[in-house]
Amino acid sequence: MQYRKKKIGALVLWGIAILCLLFTFWHFQNETVSGAGTELRFIDVGNADCCLLTSENGGNILIDAGNKGDGNLIKSHMQLRQAEQLDAVFISHFHADHMGGLLDLLKDETVSIKTIYYPDYSESNENKEAVMALAGKRGTETVPLTAGDELSVGAFHFSVLLPKNIISSDEAFTGENDENNRSLVLKLSVGATTALFVGDLEKDGESFLKFEDHMKSDILKVGHHGSATSSSADFLAKIQPGYAVVPTGHNSYGHPSRKVLDRLSGIGAVVLRSDQCGTLRFILNENGIEDVIAEKKIK
C-alpha cells in the first residue's frame, strides 16, 4: 500500500510537470494570436541592447540590435509578433553591442528593412561603415537624426532629444566617450504610454538634455547597461520612470552598478534586469501599460 501511494504521488508530480511544459509550449505557439496589439519587447541579448516595437495599428521597429550573431534571435521574436519586415531600425550609436545584430539582418535576404536611423555626427568608424555599405547593397534608406527631429512610424511617435552635434575638446566627447555621449536619445509616445531610450548616454551627456515636464517617462531603458558612469541622481529625478529596464548580462565591467540600482529603487521605479528576467514584454493599450511579462530566451 505504501509503495502504491508513492507511485501515485510520483505520477501526479509527473503529470503536473507535463502540464506546465504543455502550457509553456502553448503560450509561445499562440502568443501572436492571444498577445497584445501593441508591445514593447526588450529582447534578452546579454550585456547589449535590443528592443522590438510592434503594433496592430502599424509599425515594426527595432531600437538597437544586440551583438553580431544575435540576428537569428531577433528574427525569432519578429516571427512571434508576425513582423515580416522592419519599417525602421534606430541605432543609438555604433558600438558592437548595439548594432552588431543589424549586420546579420542586413545580410539576411528574408528580412526587409525600410529605413535605418542613426545619430548625426561627422565621425565615422568601422562599424558604421559596415552598416552603410550593407544598407547600400540592400537599397535600405539611411537617415541621420539630431535633437529636435520628430517622426512617426505607424502607431509610434518619436522625439529626438540628442545628439546636438556639439563640437567639444572635452574628454567626455572624445574617443569611446564620444560615442556614448552622442548616443541617439529617443522619447517614444504610443497611446498613453511614454518611454525613454538613451543608448549608452553617460552623466556628461545627460547634462545636455533639457529637463522639462515632457521628459517624464513611464519606461526608462537604463543607460549603458546600468553602468556607474550613467543614470545620475538629477537625471533620474527628472525622468521619474515607473519601470526601469536594465539590459545586462555576464560582463567584466561590473554592470549593473549597485549605486545605480539603489538610485532607481530610491525614486520608486520597478527595476527589471534582463540577466534576471530574460526577455521583457510590455503589453500596451490605449490607456497605458496593461501588463509586463518576463520570459525565458527563445532558442
Side-chain angles (χ1 to χ4, degrees):
M1 182 67 72
Q2 187 176 6
Y3 169 76
R4 187 177 180 184
K5 285 182 178 178
K6 287 182 178 179
K7 186 176 181 180
I8 291 172
L11 288 171
V12 169
L13 289 173
W14 272 106
I16 292 171
I18 290 169
L19 285 173
C20 288
L21 287 171
L22 287 173
F23 175 79
T24 302
F25 177 78
W26 178 91
H27 174 73
F28 285 120
Q29 292 297 313
N30 291 277
E31 180 186 324
T32 54
V33 176
S34 61
T38 301
E39 180 186 281
L40 274 60
R41 180 179 293 235
F42 292 87
I43 300 173
D44 180 10
V45 286
N47 205 61
D49 278 21
C50 184
C51 186
L52 176 66
L53 287 59
T54 53
S55 176
E56 62 183 5
N57 297 318
N60 298 322
I61 300 164
L62 203 62
I63 300 180
D64 282 337
N67 281 297
K68 189 174 182 181
D70 287 330
N72 284 334
L73 177 63
I74 295 168
K75 276 183 64 177
S76 297
H77 284 280
M78 289 174 60
Q79 289 165 359
L80 282 175
R81 291 297 292 158
Q82 296 182 336
E84 297 179 357
Q85 71 166 20
L86 290 169
D87 300 301
V89 175
F90 292 88
I91 295 299
S92 65
H93 61 298
F94 288 95
H95 281 166
D97 57 335
H98 291 256
M99 49 63 63
L102 178 57
L103 298 177
D104 302 329
L105 297 176
L106 285 168
K107 292 176 182 177
D108 189 334
E109 295 291 336
T110 68
V111 178
S112 173
I113 301 174
K114 184 178 179 181
T115 308
I116 297 171
Y117 297 97
Y118 62 96
D120 183 14
Y121 55 87
S122 59
E123 290 84 350
S124 187
N125 59 41
E126 184 178 346
N127 291 336
K128 182 178 180 180
E129 290 170 1
V131 168
M132 296 302 168
L134 286 170
K137 290 180 181 179
R138 290 291 306 273
T140 298
E141 182 183 23
T142 56
V143 178
L145 296 174
T146 191
D149 289 338
E150 302 270 344
L151 66 152
S152 293
V153 182
F156 303 95
H157 182 78
F158 297 91
S159 299
V160 181
L161 307 181
L162 287 178
K164 292 185 176 180
N165 283 327
I166 300 165
I167 300 173
S168 173
S169 59
D170 190 290
E171 64 179 32
F173 291 90
T174 58
E176 290 295 300
N177 290 328
D178 178 72
E179 281 285 320
N180 290 340
N181 282 319
R182 293 192 181 184
S183 287
L184 186 64
V185 176
L186 301 169
K187 175 68 179 290
L188 165 68
S189 299
V190 52
T193 303
T194 56
L196 188 64
F197 293 83
V198 298
D200 277 355
L201 194 69
E202 300 183 351
K203 294 175 183 177
D204 295 289
E206 291 169 4
S207 66
F208 287 95
L209 287 168
K210 290 183 177 179
F211 292 115
E212 301 169 358
D213 288 341
H214 72 271
M215 287 291 293
K216 293 181 179 179
S217 299
D218 301 310
I219 304 165
L220 170 66
K221 197 294 298 180
V222 175
H224 206 179
H225 319 291
S227 167
T229 61
S230 301
S231 304
S232 66
D234 287 344
F235 171 76
L236 295 178
K238 299 287 177 32
I239 306 303
Q240 288 291 316
Y243 295 91
V245 177
V246 186
T248 188
H250 178 73
N251 67 89
S252 59
Y253 306 107
H255 300 159
S257 161
R258 171 48 56 187
K259 290 182 179 179
V260 169
L261 296 176
D262 288 344
R263 284 201 290 268
L264 289 165
S265 298
I267 61 170
V270 176
V271 180
L272 300 169
R273 296 170 49 168
S274 60
D275 61 337
Q276 296 177 347
C277 301
T279 292
L280 289 160
R281 298 168 54 208
F282 284 81
I283 312 301
L284 312 180
N285 59 35
E286 65 275 10
N287 299 315
I289 300 171
E290 181 178 312
D291 199 4
V292 182
I293 302 171
E295 297 176 325
K296 294 182 179 179
K297 291 181 182 178
I298 300 168
K299 295 182 179 179

